[in-house]
Each structure stands twice: as C-alpha cells, then as structure tokens.
Amino acid sequence: MNNPKTNLPALDADEILAGVLSWVEIESPSHDGKAVNVMVDQVENEARTMGLEIERTPGRDGFGDILRCRTPWGHGEGEGGPGILILSHLDTVHPIGIKETKNPIRREDDKVYGPGIYDMKAGAYIALHAMRHLIREGRQTPLPVTFMFIPEEEIGSPTSKAMIAEEGQKNKYVLVTEPAREGGKIVTARNGRLQYDIKVKGVPAHAGARHMDGRSAIREMAHIILKLEALTDYEKGQTCSVGIIEGGTLTNVVPEDCTISVDIRIPDMEAAEEVMAFVEGLQPEDPDCTITVEGGVDRPPYEKFEGIEKLFEHAKACAAEIGFELQDLKTGGGSDGNFTGALGIPTLDGLGADGHGAHSNDEYIYYSSLVERCRLMIRLMETLD
Ligand SMILES: [Zn+2]
C-alpha cells in the first residue's frame, strides 16, 4: 500500500450533490425490477461515458439487472491481477412516490433529504464519482477496479449473492458504499442474518359449536413466537424479530393455518449454529399441530480479521492525511459485505455518506460529508496496491 504525497485535487460538493440527487429522483424499490433498471440505465450511461467497460447481467425473478463496470486498465491477461471490488446497491426500501410525499427531496442547511439518499444512493454515487475524478485527472489506479451494482440488496440479494461471492474472490479488497455510521464511522465487522418462514398447520372447526375439535394454528404459533423472541440477547449481540404474521380466515373458524417470517441476527457462526439447531428443532405444544420450518443463513457473520484490520489502518491513515479521524465499529445490520467478509476477503464497509435515518421517512445525508468521503474513496483507489 504505497502512499504517494500527491496534491489532492479540488472536488466540487455541488457537482457531487447534483449527481446524487439525480439518482435519488429515480425511485427504485427492490421489488420493482423495471424501476430499478431505470436506475441501472443511468449508472450504465455514466460509467460508459467515463470509459469503463460494461457488463450487464439480466435480472431474474422480476428483479433488476446486475451491472459490473471495470476500469479499462488492469483487467487484461497478465495485467494487474486481483484488484479492488466496489460494491454498491441501487435499490431502496422505499415505495414509489415517497420523494413527493413522506420524504420530499430537499435541502435544509447541511441536511439533504430524500428516499434512499443515505442508504445508499449517495455512497454509490460518491464511489463512481471518485473514479470519474481520477479519470478526468488522467490518472490510473495501481490495481484494476470493478464496480458492482446490486439490484436487490435490501431484500438480501437473492439473485446476486452468488455473483458477489464469485466477483469478491477475484479481488484483493472489497469496499462497500453502505452509509457511514454515527458520525462517519465505517464498518469492519457485521453480524450475520438468519431468515426463516415458519408454518403451523392446525385443525379447523366451528369456533362456537365445535371449538373442542379445533386446533388453533394461531394459538400454537403464539407459543413459537415467544420462544423465538426469547432468543434476543443484546449483550451477546443477538436479536430475533418476528416481522410478518399471517393466519386464520374468519373469526368464527378455529384457524387452520398460520405463517410467520423471522429475522435473526447472530454475532458469529457458533451462535448461528446454536440458533439454527433451536429453530429447526421446534416442537409443537399441541401434538395435533404440525410445524414446518424453511430457511437458514441469509448472510453469514464476519469479524474484523487481520486483513480487515490492516485495510482499516490504511484507510485511517488516508483519512488523517485528508484531515479527519476515521473510526470503525461492528454493526448488527447486514450488507453485501457479509458475503465477501465471511469469505476472508479484506472488506471495508460503511464508506458512503454520513447522515441518518436509513429505511425511515426521515432519511438524510450531510452535505458536508460528500467531499470528504469522495476524497477518501479516491485515496483508497489510488493507494491500495
Ligand atoms: Zn444499504
């Protein structure tokens, strides 16, 4: 990792903001593949204009396309070798229309609001802009750089995770442009995530006349929910949330079916295995009910191993040179960085803009963080080797 003392070129915060906002204007909820692809078109056009090599893989199962953009240098045979993978997602959790209703796009002093601006249109834009800046200056990075834009990260990257792992393994470093945390902190370890769909089959009956013949699937599920939620242990960094429940048909029928979807976060693989054994071994309280469990590891956990520690120290030195102190943390949330971190590829996450309110209708970034974060990305790209 060399550290050339070059003059830092001027970056224009207003130009970056205009670019970020043009991306926020294109609303792109994960489940709306067509809307996400409008966003993919935009990024593809920008990357093409910059001279990057484009590879676009058609989406599956109604999701948007996966876009990879590579520097024209360093990817040829015998060139460069493993490089830098920059992972961003172009989808958001927000349904279409939020930009005019619940979180209108607007600037209030240092805060710039808009759906998905913080998670993570700003981060994705900053990374691409950092490369645009280097290209404008006529410079190349020591390592080849691949940008990968994911269309469905917010629902766990079901159609892209295999490709993320595959691309990760071709690279030496992975930089993820998820939002910065708590005053600009980046992420060097992440909890893993388990996802389960659990079904209970009971016995239907008239809720009045033949109550005794019925076996309520909802009642049975209530026991299961309490057992699952009891897995939560904040000290251990483990949480369980039953996020969706469906069941029953009419109030005068003892319900035959009940289904839940469950989100469990675990700090390490050991905890994951314990929880998996527990969930997969759930037994009904009422022997006439049956339980079906589907699911498992959605995103594996990763710790701050030596390669991440080194990469973080390098990023910290870059930040100090730019003029700010870079701190790191472990977070309970998952990202596409889990797939590469868990494979042992040095991964830094949370390199996006600083701000607040991911997934809420109060989502904003700090205008003042744009240039700083862009400069950090530039320095990482031009010093990692
Ligand atoms: Zn995100």
Side-chain angles (χ1 to χ4, degrees), residues 89 119-120 153-154 178-179:
H89 65 81
D119 186 8
M120 60 143 83
E153 188 275 345
E154 292 293 5
E178 289 288 350

Side-chain angles (χ1 to χ4, degrees), residues 67 81 119 124 140 182 200 205 214 226 237 245 268 270 283 302 366:
L67 183 68
D119 186 8
Q140 292 191 354
E182 297 159 29
V200 169
L226 293 178
I245 181 163
D268 49 47
E270 201 187 328
Q283 294 299 324
Y302 71 94
Y366 293 112

Side-chain angles (χ1 to χ4, degrees), residues 61-234:
D61 308 335
F63 294 110
D65 300 347
I66 299 166
L67 183 68
R68 279 176 287 183
C69 312
R70 302 183 202 275
T71 49
W73 60 85
H75 286 289
E77 221 166 287
E79 273 189 282
I84 304 172
L85 174 64
I86 299 184
L87 267 181
S88 305
H89 65 81
L90 297 178
D91 60 320
T92 80
V93 299
H94 304 285
I96 300 234
I98 299 295
K99 68 171 182 179
E100 275 126 21
T101 54
K102 292 179 180 160
N103 192 9
I105 298 174
R106 68 203 187 276
R107 181 168 171 190
E108 291 171 8
D109 301 320
D110 198 31
K111 295 177 182 172
V112 187
Y113 291 83
I117 193 167
Y118 175 56
D119 186 8
M120 60 143 83
K121 295 276 172 77
Y125 186 86
I126 284 170
L128 193 66
H129 189 76
M131 178 56 74
R132 176 165 28 226
H133 189 75
L134 285 169
I135 291 172
R136 278 177 184 168
E137 302 268 316
R139 285 186 283 154
Q140 292 191 354
T141 51
L143 293 180
V145 178
T146 302
F147 291 86
M148 190 167 180
F149 295 95
I150 304 305
E152 29 61 304
E153 188 275 345
E154 292 293 5
I155 53 156
S157 311
T159 63
S160 60
K161 65 169 97 176
M163 201 183 279
I164 294 168
E166 188 190 313
E167 194 66 55
Q169 276 165 320
K170 289 187 213 153
N171 285 281
K172 198 168 171 184
Y173 306 106
V174 180
L175 306 177
V176 189
T177 63
E178 289 288 350
R181 308 300 154 105
E182 297 159 29
K185 292 194 181 83
I186 64 170
V187 176
T188 51
R190 280 186 183 271
N191 274 356
R193 177 175 188 272
L194 305 174
Q195 148 87 40
Y196 284 103
D197 292 318
I198 301 176
K199 290 187 174 72
V200 169
K201 192 100 190 149
V203 180
H206 192 291
R210 302 299 308 172
H211 188 278
M212 67 295 282
D213 296 340
R215 298 290 181 271
S216 168
I218 290 179
R219 183 175 189 278
E220 184 63 41
M221 191 62 93
H223 289 294
I224 295 174
I225 291 169
L226 293 178
K227 287 178 198 164
L228 289 172
E229 296 261 346
L231 291 168
T232 297
D233 180 342
Y234 295 125

Side-chain angles (χ1 to χ4, degrees), residues 264-328:
I264 306 169
R265 307 295 168 125
I266 54 307
D268 49 47
M269 269 324 281
E270 201 187 328
E273 272 152 29
E274 243 173 65
V275 168
M276 284 192 283
F278 177 80
V279 176
E280 283 152 31
L282 281 169
Q283 294 299 324
E285 299 280 318
D286 184 326
D288 294 334
C289 289
T290 50
I291 302 174
T292 319
V293 176
E294 265 175 45
V297 176
D298 173 56
R299 287 189 178 116
Y302 71 94
E303 295 290 329
K304 186 180 179 181
F305 55 85
E306 202 193 332
I308 294 183
E309 178 76 51
K310 271 190 173 163
L311 184 55
F312 172 66
E313 287 306 320
H314 179 76
K316 204 174 161 166
C318 291
E321 194 188 277
I322 295 164
F324 68 99
E325 195 199 346
L326 194 65
Q327 294 179 314
D328 69 325

